[in-house]
């Protein structure tokens, strides 16, 4: 497979995927993703809403014809916003329309960039269809997965679940780096729990592998772990040892915040971020690791990321 169409190619993940695929010699076609809104709160409702967008499907079909694979990196990120109709339109309705267009255009494979957030607070992330969303963002992503899994076997659709993706231009990364360098830097207990934090370059390489792999990947592919622990991540980003909060106290604070988050997506998103920083989350060894795929970037790139984020912050405060 060398002819690949990418939706969302100007976004955070999409631009990195496009660059990686071109470096690998693929013929990459950039497709503009339409902005949609939807109100559905179930897969059935989204599928029903999709019937009103046959014109969008027809346009996408025309653009996608001739591509062997389509990477859908379009969507709205942000665990603390924006409004539901925008999230649902970008993360649930659009993927369904793209899938239908791929079927009409004769595309062989669709790689949809989803999120590990669809499994919420499970003890261990895996490649199962089990969904436990906890916020508006994760619910919209979970709905997207549900809709795509209902269409059938054509095109072969891969739900690629990325963990928390980091790069120097992402606000979440800048906030985490500032936290790691501050006096508030802290983890729960010894800080030896694994944390699913990944570099943008590793995500784009993994998606590229899934897009061009000669054999058909499984229905769900999880971004492999980079082997970081909660304390190790803060050490590499902050250059110092974080404080160690007693586990019982940390869990009590997170659970309290989570309870408040049941009534507010904004609080739920921040509570989940705090829980990830303090407690991390384990993940199963998935298909990519089983195939022998290894992340090309390691600790040195994390260190370079910390320096880049620090430089941007200093320039911003001195401006």
């Amino acid at each position: 497979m060398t002819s690949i169409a990418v939706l969302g190619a100007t976004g955070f993940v999409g631009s990195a995927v496009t660059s990686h695929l071109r470096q690998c010699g693929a013929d990459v076609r950039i497709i503009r993703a339409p902005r949609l809104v939807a109100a559905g709160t179930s897969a059935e409702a989204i599928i029903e809403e999709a019937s009103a967008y046959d014109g969008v499907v027809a346009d996408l079909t025309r653009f996608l014809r001739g591509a062997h694979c389509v990477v859908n990196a379009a969507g709205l990120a942000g665990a603390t916003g924006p409004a539901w109709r925008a999230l649902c339109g970008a993360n649930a309705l659009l993927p369904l329309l793209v899938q239908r267009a791929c079927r009409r255009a004769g595309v062989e494979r669709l790689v949809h960039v989803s999120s590990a957030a669809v499994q919420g607070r499970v003890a261990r992330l895996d490649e199962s269809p089990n969904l436990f969303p906890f916020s508006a963002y994760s619910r919209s992503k979970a709905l997207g997965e549900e809709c795509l899994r209902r269409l059938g076997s054509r095109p072969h659709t891969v739900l690629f679940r990325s963990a928390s993706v980091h790069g120097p231009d992402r606000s979440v990364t800048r906030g985490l780096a500032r936290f790691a360098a501050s006096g508030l830097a802290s983890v729960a207990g010894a800080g030896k729990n694994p944390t699913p934090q990944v570099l943008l370059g590793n995500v784009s390489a993994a998606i590229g592998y899934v897009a061009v792999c000669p054999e058909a990947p499984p229905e769900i592919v999880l971004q492999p772990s980079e082997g970081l622990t909660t304390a190790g991540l803060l050490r590499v980003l902050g250059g110092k040892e974080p404080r160690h909060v007693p586990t019982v106290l940390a869990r009590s604070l997170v659970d309290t915040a989570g309870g408040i988050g049941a009534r507010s997506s904004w609080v739920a998103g921040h509570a989940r971020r705090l829980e990830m920083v303090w407690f991390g989350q384990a993940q199963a060894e998935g298909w990519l690791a089983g195939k022998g795929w290894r992340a090309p970037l390691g600790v040195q790139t994390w260190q370079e990321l910390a320096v880049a984020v620090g430089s941007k912050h200093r320039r911003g405060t001195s401006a």
Side-chain angles (χ1 to χ4, degrees):
M1 293 184 181
T2 56
S3 178
I4 303 173
V6 179
L7 283 86
T10 60
F12 178 64
V13 172
S15 59
V17 170
T18 299
S19 177
H20 175 80
L21 288 170
R22 284 176 170 165
Q23 289 174 8
C24 293
D27 174 23
V28 181
R29 187 188 312 172
I30 294 175
I31 308 298
R32 184 176 179 275
R35 293 189 178 184
L36 307 172
V37 294
T41 56
S42 68
E44 291 80 6
I46 299 301
I47 292 170
E48 183 176 346
E49 286 190 61
S51 62
Y53 288 89
D54 197 62
V56 174
V57 174
D59 288 341
L60 288 171
T61 300
R62 186 171 65 256
F63 296 141
L64 299 179
R65 204 173 299 279
H68 294 96
C69 175
V70 171
V71 175
N72 178 35
L76 280 181
T80 58
W84 173 253
R85 285 178 59 84
L87 283 170
C88 189
N91 298 336
L93 176 59
L94 176 61
L96 178 59
L97 301 182
V98 171
Q99 188 185 52
R100 289 180 172 179
C102 286
R103 171 174 284 192
R104 291 186 188 180
V107 174
E108 297 175 19
R109 182 180 302 172
L110 167 62
V111 181
H112 170 66
V113 181
S114 185
S115 170
V118 299
Q119 291 196 306
R121 300 173 66 186
V122 295
R124 188 175 73 158
L125 299 170
D126 60 25
E127 294 177 338
S128 75
N130 300 324
L131 304 171
F132 304 98
F134 61 94
S135 65
Y137 168 72
S138 60
R139 284 195 295 274
S140 69
K141 282 293 192 179
L143 270 177
E145 288 199 6
E146 287 187 68
C147 289
L148 292 176
R149 294 183 68 240
R150 291 188 180 211
L151 188 62
S153 58
R154 286 195 309 113
H156 178 68
T157 300
V158 182
L159 307 175
F160 184 90
R161 292 178 181 166
S162 61
S164 186
V165 188
H166 293 282
D169 296 322
R170 197 170 194 198
S171 59
V172 171
T173 305
R174 294 195 297 269
L176 180 60
R178 288 196 296 269
F179 174 79
S182 74
L184 297 175
S186 54
V187 293
K192 294 182 179 180
N193 293 339
T195 183
Q197 313 288 331
V198 292
L199 292 163
L200 177 60
N202 289 334
V203 173
S204 62
I207 293 173
Y209 181 92
V210 172
V212 303
C213 182
E215 67 178 86
E219 182 180 54
I220 299 172
V221 174
L222 178 64
Q223 175 74 27
S225 167
E226 296 192 12
L228 294 167
T229 63
T230 52
L233 175 65
L234 295 187
R235 288 189 200 106
V236 74
L237 288 178
K240 63 177 184 178
E241 184 68 23
R243 296 184 181 187
H244 295 265
V245 180
T247 302
V248 173
L249 174 60
R251 177 52 64 189
S252 176
L253 292 171
V254 166
D255 288 346
T256 299
I260 299 173
R263 300 184 295 275
S264 167
S265 285
W266 186 88
V267 175
H270 284 291
R272 181 59 182 150
R273 286 178 182 173
L274 177 62
E275 184 175 31
M276 288 293 286
V277 169
W278 275 357
F279 289 95
Q281 190 171 26
Q283 66 178 83
E285 183 176 280
W287 178 78
L288 278 169
K291 295 297 294 181
W293 184 90
R294 294 294 180 267
L297 306 178
V299 173
Q300 182 178 342
T301 306
W302 278 103
Q303 293 170 337
E304 293 169 354
L305 175 61
V307 172
V309 170
S311 298
K312 285 178 177 288
H313 178 63
R314 286 190 294 273
R315 287 197 300 269
T317 56
S318 62

